[in-house]
Amino acid sequence: MLVSGIGKSGLIGTKIAATLRSTGTPATFLHPGEALHGDIGTVREDDVLLAIGKSGETTELNALLRVVRKIGIPVIAITSNAGSSMAALSDVVIDLQIPREACPLNLAPTASTTAALAVGDAIAIALMKLKNISAEDFARHHPGGQLGKRLLLTVEDVMRGGDQKPVIRIDASVRDMLIAITRFHVGAVCVTDADEKLLGLVTDYDIRKTLETGQDLFVMKISEIMNASPEVVYSTDRAVDALEMMRSRNKPTAVMPVLSPDRRILGMVHLHDLVAAGI
């Protein structure tokens, strides 16, 4: 879709085109003056032009409408003058029927531009409904916003993997386990077998609870300290779901192992990683 207007109507048209794009309808603002000097090349035969003009008698805009009518694309006019030249050049006329502007002189475009903006938003929302645009579709157009991050980011996008993956073999010593927890700076380490299948999780909390029993930590095995059934997430899970799992536990946690479908350990996700990602 193309949107065009000049002056204050052009500013409203720019915003309407942006709203259309962000809600799933490809749209471009086409300045009438620039269009008449080359930008008419933007127009395609399957386009629709939405023209905005209070008086409907703007010379440049009406000149553009005459050209696009020869190309054969439909024209929709948003105007406050249903008897104007612009209206006569349009296939559909949306008459705003604004009796006067909010301006005390009835000169500055105020009520008319507000009404045009509302109509443009209504068109965008109607097209959203016709196209069945979902929240996920909307998020794909806003990947940098909070909604986009909540719907699009997966655990794999925010987890600590590769060289930063906090893992240790179950046959390692408790001393090596403590060194690993310190080195990875997440307050926990995943315990695996020789095939990197997850066997358990050791957190700072588990170590403190063991020390409270009075046992000698350094003569114990990792299997005696670890939690053998920790809550886990999978790399393809949404990051926001991992955050909710952390929050909803009876004992909230800040870390969760990240697994592949065959339960191999891929990494660890930390609450700080989720917060830093803007979830």
Side-chain angles (χ1 to χ4, degrees):
M1 178 178 282
L2 300 171
V3 184
S4 191
I6 204 163
K8 301 299 186 294
S9 294
L11 296 174
I12 295 299
T14 300
K15 190 275 178 186
I16 291 172
T19 299
L20 286 164
R21 289 192 297 271
S22 72
T23 53
T25 298
T28 300
F29 178 75
L30 183 62
H31 190 282
E34 298 297 335
L36 296 173
H37 292 277
D39 280 3
I40 197 72
T42 304
V43 180
R44 296 292 180 266
E45 292 183 356
D46 58 350
D47 271 328
V48 174
L49 176 65
L50 180 64
I52 307 167
K54 176 189 174 183
S55 69
E57 299 297 344
T58 303
T59 302
E60 298 94 333
L61 182 56
N62 287 342
L64 172 61
L65 297 191
R66 292 186 182 95
V67 174
V68 299
R69 284 186 67 85
K70 290 180 181 179
I71 296 174
I73 72 169
V75 175
I76 302 171
I78 298 178
T79 181
S80 296
N81 184 2
S84 64
S85 300
M86 184 175 80
L89 289 166
S90 302
D91 299 285
V92 176
V93 177
I94 300 176
D95 184 3
L96 298 179
Q97 298 185 10
I98 302 299
R100 63 168 290 116
E101 299 288 0
C103 167
L105 301 177
N106 194 28
L107 296 174
T110 47
S112 60
T113 49
T114 301
L117 180 60
V119 169
D121 286 345
I123 291 172
I125 299 308
L127 288 170
M128 279 186 75
K129 292 182 177 180
L130 285 172
K131 294 180 177 184
N132 294 317
I133 300 296
S134 65
E136 287 74 16
D137 295 327
F138 187 87
R140 278 190 283 273
H141 294 120
H142 302 78
Q146 188 178 56
L147 175 62
K149 291 175 181 177
R150 290 178 66 86
L151 292 177
L152 299 179
L153 279 181
T154 65
V155 170
E156 185 175 21
D157 295 322
V158 298
M159 73 179 188
R160 304 185 188 197
D163 294 340
Q164 298 301 311
K165 178 172 62 178
V167 297
I168 196 164
R169 290 270 296 272
I170 194 165
D171 54 1
S173 68
V174 169
R175 179 181 180 277
D176 289 339
M177 178 195 75
L178 294 174
I179 292 172
I181 291 178
T182 302
R183 177 161 61 92
F184 288 111
H185 304 293
V186 292
V189 66
C190 298
V191 183
T192 70
D193 62 14
D195 296 323
E196 290 205 335
K197 295 286 186 70
L198 181 69
L199 299 177
L201 180 72
V202 179
T203 67
D204 289 342
Y205 173 79
D206 298 316
I207 295 169
R208 289 195 302 272
K209 292 298 288 184
T210 301
L211 290 173
E212 287 174 4
T213 66
Q215 300 179 75
D216 185 349
L217 193 69
F218 290 99
V219 300
M220 299 179 68
K221 296 179 179 179
I222 293 177
S223 59
E224 298 174 292
I225 303 170
M226 72 182 189
N227 174 3
S229 55
E231 281 201 66
V232 301
V233 289
Y234 291 88
S235 59
T236 54
D237 290 343
R238 295 192 307 174
V240 67
D241 293 333
L243 177 61
E244 185 57 34
M245 289 176 67
M246 290 180 180
R247 287 175 169 173
S248 62
R249 285 168 47 94
N250 291 332
K251 293 181 179 179
T253 182
V255 293
M256 296 183 76
V258 182
L259 304 183
S260 65
D262 61 356
R263 292 190 64 83
R264 292 180 186 276
I265 185 71
L266 296 178
M268 181 92 78
V269 62
H270 194 283
L271 177 62
H272 292 169
D273 302 325
L274 298 169
V275 173
I279 302 297

